[in-house]
């Protein structure tokens, strides 16, 4: 479903702030894969997500989504294949627009925007049904401005928007990191439910190793812009946090002391 | 006095079209677009030149919109494609417009009608003729004051302004309900999210700037016909007038719904004109008007901060007082 081949990306090349964020990254996602991505700060997790989403062009390598080479396609064109949820709950929705307007924007992802009316009457029923599944009481607040919702509600809404039009790949970039623990658990639960029900292919970056072990059928660990560990299936189910830390130390050669806290958070 | 008020309302409505244009960029796109100072004059200049050359006034008025479309497009490309900050992009286009406008007019000022010719037909002329005929037929000694207002050019301008404001508002209301309009509104909110929904934000910004400046040029064409001249400096300070109208309207009518927002703009523009007419009547010199407007807008824009300052002062006094717990008040303020 997704194929990253030899991706390189350097930020601020030739300056004192030069940062090699992705360093020959290779990754293949099968259809239906739900991958948890972990790694220390600066490992390249978010950079990988942004490379897939096309926030900027990569320096080298190719990106294929479902057999289509999207390497040179701009962000808004790639959006036709992707659903995205960001770390900042404010980033996924338009604050001054109401819930149904936001959903209507998402329902037309990948389509040309015409002069047809922005929301059709029959869509409203669909929105209400979907919002009901969130169990946050949003189904009766279709015309509430999104800016008035809490961070958790906005993130749940963003999840709905990202998956409303069945994306080929769902990108969750630390989408629970800015929420309080209880809300984070709830949003994670909703994410899992949506992914399972719609049989989506998904990548989820997280700082929480427990979450990474508990969710998804596959786990990859990143370090220095490369994937250093890739476990799946039964092997992943039997992982523990201790073992993960141990394997990280072994592979990356003792850098963990700096990253332990970040990984454990 | 009645004529002054009617004139202020008429001018306010014509500037209301301008305020609707400024709203498109200032509120919807969240950009302060200075291009309008150039394209307002372009609209006036184009209309004036065409009228002098005998073009049908309605056609001349609508053709002037083209100037705004081009101006907005240039600012849009400078801002999105060449990554120049929006404010600076607007200033560049505005500056370029000055030369273009002089080229269009051939001189700094075109009176309507031009010197030496007796009359030039404007968009208001048919109405004025109609009402003059009507007044001549019905005017009596006791009702002369009434018919004098009716047949004044101010009254016809008021009607024309009203029609334009209503038609433009209805079109805007419709447009921003469409898929394209929604996409533009969202672009002003959160570009990252809009791109994630597969919308090209560059195109949205350019379209919005073009539409905004189209309205501004339309307004310029109407204003030039109303004041009976196009002048190279008619756009100077226009953005401040637009913002003053916008803020006054928002305070008085409110911004709860988009409908209210749309109504607020012409209402604000009219009230601004009435205020100006009154302070002029009270003896303010025309030369001081821009200073007056700028100070008013500066105060209006800083109102939230001023309000907060006094709230804080008020709260401090409360906390130093021994009795009473005002933690509730403080909580409110934090939000």
């Amino acid at each position: 479903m997704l194929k990253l081949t030899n991706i390189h990306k350097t930020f601020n090349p030739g300056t004192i702030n030069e940062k090699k964020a992705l360093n020959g990254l290779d990754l293949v996602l099968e259809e239906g894969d739900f991958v948890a991505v972990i790694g220390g700060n600066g490992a390249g997790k978010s950079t990988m997500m942004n490379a897939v989403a096309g926030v900027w062009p990569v320096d080298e390598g190719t990106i294929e989504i479902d057999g289509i080479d999207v390497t040179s396609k701009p962000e808004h064109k790639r959006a036709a294949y992707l659903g995205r949820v960001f770390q900042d709950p404010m980033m996924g929705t338009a604050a001054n627009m109401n819930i149904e307007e936001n959903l209507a924007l998402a329902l037309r992802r990948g389509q040309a925007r015409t002069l047809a009316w922005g929301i059709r009457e029959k869509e409203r029923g669909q929105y209400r049904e979907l919002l009901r599944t969130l169990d946050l009481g949003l189904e009766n607040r279709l015309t509430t401005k999104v800016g008035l919702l809490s961070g958790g509600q906005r993130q749940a809404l963003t999840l709905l928007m990202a998956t409303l039009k069945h994306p080929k790949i769902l990108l969750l970039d630390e989408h629970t990191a800015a929420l309080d623990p209880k809300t984070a658990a709830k949003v994670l639960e909703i994410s899992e439910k949506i992914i399972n029900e719609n049989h989506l292919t998904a990548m989820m970056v997280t700082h929480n190793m427990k979450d990474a072990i508990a969710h998804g059928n596959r786990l990859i660990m990143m370090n220095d812009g490369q994937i250093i560990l890739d476990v799946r299936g039964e092997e992943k189910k039997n992982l523990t946090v201790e073992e993960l830390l141990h394997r990280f130390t072994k592979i990356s050669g003792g850098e963990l002391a700096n990253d332990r806290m970040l990984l454990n958070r | 006095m009645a004529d002054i008020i009617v004139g202020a309302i008429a001018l306010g409505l014509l500037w209301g079209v301008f305020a609707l244009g400024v709203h498109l960029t200032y509120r919807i796109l969240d950009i302060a677009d200075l291009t309008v100072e150039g394209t307002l004059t372009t609209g006036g200049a184009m209309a004036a030149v065409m009228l002098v050359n005998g073009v049908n006034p309605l056609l001349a008025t609508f053709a002037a919109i083209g100037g705004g479309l081009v101006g907005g497009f240039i600012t849009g490309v400078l801002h999105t494609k060449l990554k120049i900050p929006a404010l600076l992009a607007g200033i560049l286009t505005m500056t370029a417009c000055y030369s273009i406008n002089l080229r269009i007019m051939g001189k700094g000022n075109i009176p309507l009608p031009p010197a030496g010719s007796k009359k030039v037909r404007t968009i208001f002329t048919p109405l004025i003729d109609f009402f003059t005929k009507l007044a001549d037929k019905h005017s009596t000694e006791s009702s002369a004051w009434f018919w004098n207002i009716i047949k004044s050019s101010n009254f016809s301008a008021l009607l024309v302004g009203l029609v334009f404001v209503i038609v433009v508002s209805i079109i805007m209301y419709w447009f921003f309900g469409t898929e394209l309009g929604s996409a533009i509104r969202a672009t002003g909110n959160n570009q990252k999210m809009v791109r994630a929904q597969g919308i090209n934000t560059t195109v949205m910004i350019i379209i919005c700037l073009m539409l905004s400046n189209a309205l501004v040029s339309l307004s310029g064409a109407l204003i030039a016909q109303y004041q009976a001249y196009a002048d190279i400096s008619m756009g100077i300070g226009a953005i401040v007038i637009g913002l003053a109208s916008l803020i006054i309207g928002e305070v008085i009518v409110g911004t709860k719904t988009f409908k209210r927002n749309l109504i607020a703009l012409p209402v604000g523009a009219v009230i601004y004109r009435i205020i100006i007419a009154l302070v002029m009547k009270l003896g303010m010199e025309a030369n001081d008007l821009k200073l007056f407007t700028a100070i008013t807008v500066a105060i209006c824009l800083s109102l939230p901060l001023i309000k907060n300052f006094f709230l804080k002062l008020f709260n401090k006094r409360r906390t130093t007082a021994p009795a009473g717990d005002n933690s509730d008040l403080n909580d409110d303020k934090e939000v």
Side-chain angles (χ1 to χ4, degrees):
Chain A
M1 186 53 73
L2 174 69
K3 192 172 169 200
L4 304 179
T5 315
N6 192 30
I7 304 290
H8 286 266
K9 179 69 187 178
T10 305
F11 291 113
N12 309 313
T15 71
I16 196 158
N17 292 321
E18 182 173 293
K19 163 82 185 155
K20 276 192 177 147
L22 293 178
N23 217 343
L25 177 82
D26 290 303
L27 177 67
V28 177
L29 292 198
E30 306 298 336
E31 190 164 356
D33 265 355
F34 177 8
V35 187
V37 184
I38 56 171
N41 261 9
K45 307 181 300 290
S46 289
T47 311
M48 175 172 74
M49 299 296 241
N50 288 338
V52 174
V55 176
W56 22 250
V58 294
D59 301 336
E60 208 180 302
T62 57
I63 301 166
E64 278 176 46
I65 297 174
D66 202 12
I68 305 160
D69 186 346
V70 298
T71 316
S72 56
K73 281 195 182 179
E75 190 177 5
H76 67 269
K77 290 233 168 95
R78 279 189 222 186
Y81 314 115
L82 303 171
R84 291 162 71 193
V85 185
F86 311 103
Q87 177 174 359
D88 181 351
M90 307 301 142
M91 273 342 295
T93 44
N96 288 343
M97 297 171 76
N98 62 36
I99 292 179
E100 60 178 16
E101 286 171 333
N102 271 279
L103 285 164
L105 279 174
L107 188 68
R108 288 156 181 79
R109 183 162 52 77
Q111 293 172 10
R113 309 293 156 142
T114 66
L115 290 178
W117 200 242
I119 306 173
R120 290 191 184 84
E121 197 47 52
K122 63 177 182 202
E123 290 169 22
R124 290 202 170 92
Q126 186 194 351
Y127 298 157
R128 226 171 257 126
E129 280 311 306
L130 284 167
L131 288 166
R132 191 167 290 128
T133 64
L134 296 180
D135 199 19
L136 294 169
L138 295 179
E139 61 270 19
N140 300 318
R141 299 174 67 187
L142 280 183
T143 53
T144 301
K145 286 211 170 136
V146 168
L148 300 173
L149 303 183
S150 71
Q153 288 173 324
R154 282 182 80 163
Q155 208 63 326
L157 179 62
T158 309
L159 257 171
L160 263 197
M161 288 168 61
T163 52
L164 194 55
K165 239 196 129 200
H166 206 102
K168 288 195 190 295
I169 301 159
L170 176 63
L171 302 174
L172 307 171
D173 191 356
E174 294 195 47
H175 70 307
T176 61
L179 306 173
D180 66 83
K182 207 174 142 204
T183 314
K186 170 93 184 163
V187 168
L188 203 54
E189 181 198 319
I190 295 170
S191 317
E192 174 126 45
K193 193 172 144 220
I194 290 177
I195 292 169
N196 289 338
E197 277 173 6
N198 298 296
H199 310 290
L200 296 174
T201 309
M203 270 210 281
M204 177 177 78
V205 171
T206 176
H207 263 130
N208 187 316
M209 296 182 100
K210 277 204 195 97
D211 286 345
I213 293 169
H215 298 276
N217 67 330
R218 198 171 155 188
L219 182 149
I220 61 177
M221 188 186 269
M222 293 185 70
N223 191 43
D224 276 340
Q226 281 177 328
I227 290 166
I228 54 166
L229 182 69
D230 185 348
V231 285
R232 58 186 96 192
E234 281 303 307
E235 192 189 358
K236 173 176 184 278
K237 270 186 202 150
N238 298 327
L239 273 177
T240 60
V241 173
E242 281 71 32
E243 197 187 335
L244 216 46
L245 288 169
H246 178 68
R247 288 174 82 161
F248 184 89
T249 320
K250 217 165 84 184
I251 302 168
S252 64
E255 271 177 52
L256 191 61
N258 301 326
D259 288 325
R260 172 170 288 183
M261 278 177 349
L262 293 165
L263 277 161
N264 245 336
R265 197 173 67 180
Chain B
M1 189 62 198
D3 193 50
I4 292 176
I5 295 294
V6 174
I9 296 172
L11 194 55
L13 287 169
L14 301 181
W15 277 92
V17 177
F18 175 81
L20 285 162
V22 169
H23 174 83
L24 281 183
T25 46
Y26 190 69
R27 283 291 185 234
I28 291 183
L29 266 196
D30 202 13
I31 286 175
D33 176 31
L34 290 180
T35 317
V36 296
E37 303 221 342
T39 46
L40 183 86
T41 313
T42 309
M46 285 174 72
V49 169
M50 280 186 271
L51 288 177
V52 168
N53 287 304
V55 176
N56 175 294
L58 208 59
L59 189 67
T61 305
F62 284 111
I65 289 174
L69 287 173
V70 174
F73 178 79
I74 292 169
T75 302
V77 169
L78 288 175
H79 174 47
T80 58
K81 293 283 184 197
L82 305 181
K83 308 283 179 211
I84 297 170
L87 203 61
L88 191 54
I91 291 172
L92 289 176
T93 314
M94 173 190 89
T95 308
C97 268
Y98 189 88
S99 301
I100 303 285
N101 293 338
L102 273 176
R103 287 265 177 185
I104 292 171
M105 296 202 288
K107 52 189 170 175
N109 186 299
I110 298 180
L112 297 170
S117 94
K118 248 190 256 151
K119 212 182 163 194
V120 64
R121 292 186 69 79
T122 69
I123 195 164
F124 312 116
T125 315
L127 269 182
I128 297 171
D129 290 350
F130 171 76
F131 283 124
T132 309
K133 253 183 228 156
L134 209 65
D136 290 347
K137 215 190 275 175
H138 296 283
S139 184
T140 60
E141 196 125 328
S142 57
S143 66
W145 63 273
F146 172 75
W147 287 108
N148 277 339
I149 292 175
I150 297 293
K151 72 178 182 187
S152 70
S153 60
N154 280 341
F155 184 74
S156 294
L158 186 151
L159 287 183
V160 171
L162 198 62
V163 168
F164 270 95
V165 160
I166 290 172
V167 169
V168 168
S169 300
I170 289 173
I171 292 175
M172 271 174 75
Y173 185 77
W174 162 77
F175 179 73
F176 284 104
T178 66
E179 293 173 358
L180 183 64
S182 301
I184 291 176
R185 272 194 295 152
T187 301
N189 260 252
N190 183 346
Q191 292 195 29
K192 189 170 173 174
M193 167 264 189
V194 171
R195 280 194 293 271
Q197 301 305 338
I199 298 163
N200 189 342
T201 47
T202 301
V203 173
M204 296 303 131
I205 291 171
I206 293 177
I207 291 177
C208 196
L209 281 167
M210 286 173 74
L211 293 177
S212 164
N213 282 285
L215 290 181
V216 168
S217 280
L218 173 64
S219 174
L222 293 171
I223 292 165
Q225 293 176 68
Y226 172 78
Q227 65 191 14
Y229 63 85
D231 189 273
I232 189 66
S233 65
M234 66 189 272
I236 294 178
I239 185 77
V240 179
I241 294 174
L243 291 182
S245 311
L246 186 133
I247 293 162
I248 294 171
E250 286 182 351
V251 167
I252 288 175
V253 182
T255 56
K256 253 210 168 125
T257 61
F258 190 53
K259 238 180 245 170
R260 271 185 165 222
N261 235 323
L262 287 178
I263 297 168
L265 294 158
V267 168
V270 166
I271 292 172
Y272 169 78
R273 281 296 153 191
I274 292 175
I275 293 172
I276 296 295
L278 290 180
V279 294
M280 297 267 280
K281 186 90 180 148
L282 290 175
M284 180 183 274
E285 274 187 49
N287 288 339
D288 296 335
L289 268 185
K290 289 217 177 357
L291 178 67
F292 174 78
T293 310
I295 292 173
T296 314
V297 171
I299 292 173
C300 287
L301 285 177
S302 53
L303 264 185
L305 213 72
I306 296 171
K307 204 172 113 194
N308 246 347
F309 175 76
F310 281 106
L311 264 177
K312 227 179 233 168
L313 215 66
F314 179 67
N315 276 343
K316 220 177 247 166
R317 267 192 211 140
R318 287 274 303 263
T319 34
T320 47
D325 183 356
N326 64 344
S327 56
D328 291 0
L329 256 173
N330 277 329
D331 282 349
D332 275 355
K333 203 160 45 73
E334 290 302 321
V335 175

